[in-house]
Amino acid sequence: MILTIRKFGDPVLKEKCNRINNLDCNFAGLVKNLADTMYNAPGIGLAASQVGILERLFICDLGDGLQVYVNAKIVATEGEDMNEEGCLSIPNIRVPVKRAKKVKITALNANGKKVTFVAEDLLAHVIQHEVDHLNGVLVLDKTDTENRRRALEELREHVQID
Ligand code: ZN
């Protein structure tokens, strides 16, 4: 089922998400709906809060299969990278965002199993972007003043907030 992606201006995107304490019987269905929504958009990452569900869950697919992250936490970072990022909640806008080049992450996977690993480059950026969503932070909060101003101007002109 394709869910409605909340757009910039929706207060739910500024909320902090709650830890998930158990993967109940609705969990697999929720992941499937998130995946349907992300692939339909199309996008490479989607956080539950972007469809109005305030739980620490996000998914991504960089072309090599669906990855599911529950209660993801960045426990270490290394290096620095600047890259242009878009967001399904802020359509047609791309802004430069400073990210760590590498992140060490702990999370539960789709089966509730704890995983710890190091991600680099694009995957590291996507994980940082999605973890930001779990904390109510958007790319517009992370870019510089000038790019934020320009993006907001463009949003006012072209995007209908529904
Ligand atoms: Zn986003």
Side-chain angles (χ1 to χ4, degrees):
M1 190 168 79
I2 292 163
L3 308 171
T4 303
I5 297 177
R6 305 299 185 90
K7 299 289 164 32
F8 180 75
D10 189 320
V12 82
L13 294 170
K14 307 293 276 180
E15 295 281 328
K16 230 173 134 84
C17 299
N18 302 306
R19 276 182 69 84
I20 296 178
N21 292 321
N22 60 318
L23 304 187
D24 61 20
C25 53
N26 300 317
F27 181 75
L30 172 57
V31 168
K32 165 117 191 6
N33 290 343
L34 281 174
D36 289 348
T37 306
M38 178 181 76
Y39 291 127
N40 176 257
I44 57 172
L46 185 68
S49 57
Q50 289 179 277
V51 297
I53 296 166
L54 292 174
E55 293 184 357
R56 300 190 82 80
L57 163 66
F58 66 82
I59 59 170
C60 66
D61 186 340
L62 306 188
D64 50 4
L66 185 70
Q67 300 182 31
V68 178
Y69 295 84
V70 175
N71 298 338
K73 213 169 147 187
I74 293 167
V75 293
T77 63
E78 200 185 304
E80 210 174 86
D81 250 351
M82 197 74 166
N83 57 304
E84 294 268 314
E85 289 184 23
C87 178
L88 293 177
S89 293
I90 316 172
N92 307 315
I93 298 284
R94 295 185 75 77
V95 289
V97 179
K98 201 187 282 180
R99 299 287 187 195
K101 189 170 169 53
K102 275 192 199 181
V103 293
K104 186 176 183 187
I105 180 161
T106 65
L108 303 180
N109 66 15
N111 303 316
K113 190 169 173 284
K114 189 173 175 186
V115 291
T116 301
F117 66 96
V118 174
E120 283 184 64
D121 301 320
L122 183 59
L123 180 58
H125 301 155
V126 170
I127 288 171
Q128 289 169 86
H129 179 117
E130 301 307 332
V131 169
D132 275 349
H133 273 302
L134 305 183
N135 295 319
V137 174
L138 299 173
V139 287
L140 293 184
D141 303 317
K142 307 276 291 199
T143 195
D144 58 86
T145 319
E146 178 55 25
N147 277 289
R148 181 183 162 85
R149 192 192 56 76
R150 205 177 303 152
L152 289 173
E153 220 161 72
E154 210 159 303
L155 280 168
R156 265 195 294 273
E157 279 172 27
H158 299 294
V159 178
Q160 287 194 343
I161 310 288
D162 48 25

